[in-house]
Structures are given as structure tokens and as C-alpha cells.
Amino acid sequence: MKISGIILAAGNSTRFGQNKNKNLFEINGEPIISNSLKIFDNSEKINEILLVIKKEEKEYFEEIIKRNKFKKTIKYVIGGNTRKASVYNAISQIDSDYVVIHDGARPNIKEEYIEKSIKELEEYKGVTIAVKAKDTIKICNENQEVVETTKRSNTWLIQTPQSFDRKILKEAHEKFDANDESLTDDCMILEKCGYTVKVIQGDYENIKVTTFGDIKLV
């Protein structure tokens, strides 16, 4: 069983607001991306790592990898215009049985999440880490008028890592436009194809750096 880890770091970081890829921003002297790479490098379940980046930023990531001397092979994949396109670029270049996809800007990932999600692939084609919503969630229309209120006990906030049967995920991706920005995670793509996705309880520390204010939380 071959398992590839895919770490996404090709986003525009627009909401971060620092004119810099948030994955390259340093916390305590280390770029944010470093910790995600270290966890995947240490995992006995992961055979190889694919790092999805922008072409023009490759030299920055090469320096990070050189400095850390990771044990596993790390392959570069050039990302697309959307998250979906970036993931598809990665899964199209490998022949792995399973893939574990992670947001590079989510540095507080725990190795156990990788192991637990892979274990669940024995029964499911897609698995994600998530936490239960603490607040009431309301769905609104384009005018910001409430059209639905979710049941809090059944509402989960989705995180990564997310694990998949690679062949199933690739086939699902090919049914949708690569530039469809409404497809915000890979579980959503499987759901639209009729597959059941398993949710595993994570923790609230596993946050994604989105705005500059998130740096203090991390």
C-alpha cells in the first residue's frame, strides 16, 4: 500500500494581507510550512511527500527543505488557479493507493490525525479531520438574510488532513471544472459524486492561518 502526502502551499494568501505567501511567514524563526512538512516526514504511514507550490516561489521552498534535511523524498508540483486544480495536478502525477491532503498553513497538525484518517480508508473513500461547531451556524442568501439554521450538535467545522482513495478522488475531480472555486475541499467533490465521507474528531488548535491575526493564535 503506497501512501502519498500532499501539502498545499500555492494559494494567493490574499486575506493574510502581508504581500507574502503565509506558508513562508516565520513563527519562532521557522516558516509556517516547516512544521507541516516535519509531521509528514516523521509519519511512518507516508511514503513520499508532494509539495504544491507556485513556480515563482520554488527557490524559497527549496531553501527551507535544504535547511531541514528531511528524510523522505519531497517532490514539487506546480499549483493551479484554484485549490481544486492544485490538488488535481498532484494526484495526476502519482500512482499511490491513498493520498493524505493537508493545508500547509495549518501547522499545528498532529501525526495521529494522519494515522487515524488512513485507518478509516479501510471502510470509506474519503475521510476528514473536523471539530464540532461551538456556535450556532446560520445559512444566508446573497442578501445576508437567514434561510436556514443548522443543528449545532450535527454541525462540524472541517479541517485537514483529509485522506482519500487516490483513484476514486481523481475520477471525482474529472467530473467538475478545474477552476470551480465553489469546491472548497476535496470531501465536497466526493460528496457530490455520492460517496459517504467520514468525519474524525480533531481539536480546536489545528487552525489554518488565514489572516495575520491568526499568527498569535498559532
Side-chain angles (χ1 to χ4, degrees):
M1 186 68 69
K2 184 178 179 181
I3 305 174
S4 298
I6 298 173
I7 300 179
L8 303 174
N12 293 320
S13 301
T14 303
R15 289 172 289 178
F16 190 61
Q18 302 297 306
N19 295 318
K20 183 177 184 177
N21 186 333
K22 59 193 176 186
N23 289 280
L24 300 172
F25 192 87
E26 293 189 357
I27 298 178
N28 297 330
E30 281 287 340
I32 288 173
I33 190 69
S34 293
N35 202 55
S36 293
L37 285 166
K38 287 176 182 177
I39 296 297
F40 275 76
D41 190 54
N42 287 333
S43 174
E44 295 181 357
K45 299 291 185 181
I46 301 297
N47 301 115
E48 64 177 358
I49 299 170
L50 282 77
L51 181 58
V52 185
I53 61 172
K54 289 183 177 180
K55 184 178 181 180
E56 61 269 26
E57 294 178 339
K58 185 178 179 182
E59 63 180 288
Y60 299 112
F61 289 99
E62 285 179 330
E63 179 60 31
I64 292 169
I65 290 171
K66 180 180 179 181
R67 189 164 70 234
N68 283 277
K69 298 179 181 179
F70 296 110
K71 302 184 294 293
K72 291 186 172 68
T73 298
I74 299 178
K75 301 176 181 178
Y76 296 102
V77 175
I78 303 304
N81 294 326
T82 63
R83 187 184 191 282
K84 181 187 182 303
S86 292
V87 170
Y88 185 74
N89 288 353
I91 61 178
S92 297
Q93 295 185 27
I94 52 179
D95 60 358
S96 305
D97 300 288
Y98 294 159
V99 291
V100 182
I101 301 172
H102 185 60
D103 300 320
R106 204 180 286 273
N108 290 342
I109 175 183
K110 293 181 174 64
E111 192 173 332
E112 66 184 87
Y113 297 156
I114 296 174
E115 297 173 357
K116 287 180 178 179
S117 61
I118 291 172
K119 177 66 175 176
E120 291 292 346
L121 288 176
E122 295 174 4
E123 183 175 353
Y124 299 92
K125 301 302 182 184
V127 182
T128 185
I129 301 299
V131 291
K132 281 192 173 183
K134 294 180 179 180
D135 302 312
T136 299
I137 305 295
K138 293 188 180 292
I139 310 299
C140 296
N141 60 21
E142 295 176 353
N143 296 320
Q144 293 180 276
E145 299 166 341
V146 175
V147 295
E148 182 183 357
T149 299
T150 68
K151 186 178 179 181
R152 189 166 59 186
S153 60
N154 290 344
T155 303
W156 293 74
L157 306 180
I158 301 304
Q159 302 178 341
T160 64
Q162 298 181 346
S163 298
F164 303 92
D165 179 302
R166 187 198 64 85
K167 184 178 178 181
I168 294 295
L169 180 61
K170 183 173 182 290
E171 291 173 350
H173 263 263
E174 290 169 349
K175 295 180 180 180
F176 301 95
D177 184 349
N179 294 314
D180 188 344
E181 295 183 356
S182 69
L183 299 172
T184 53
D185 81 336
D186 295 279
C187 289
M188 187 178 181
I189 296 173
L190 254 66
E191 293 160 27
K192 286 182 173 293
C193 291
Y195 290 97
T196 299
V197 172
K198 174 69 173 181
V199 169
I200 296 176
Q201 175 77 55
D203 68 70
Y204 296 96
E205 294 181 357
N206 186 30
I207 67 169
K208 180 181 179 182
V209 173
T210 302
T211 67
F212 189 67
D214 294 328
I215 293 296
K216 288 184 178 181
L217 293 174
V218 169

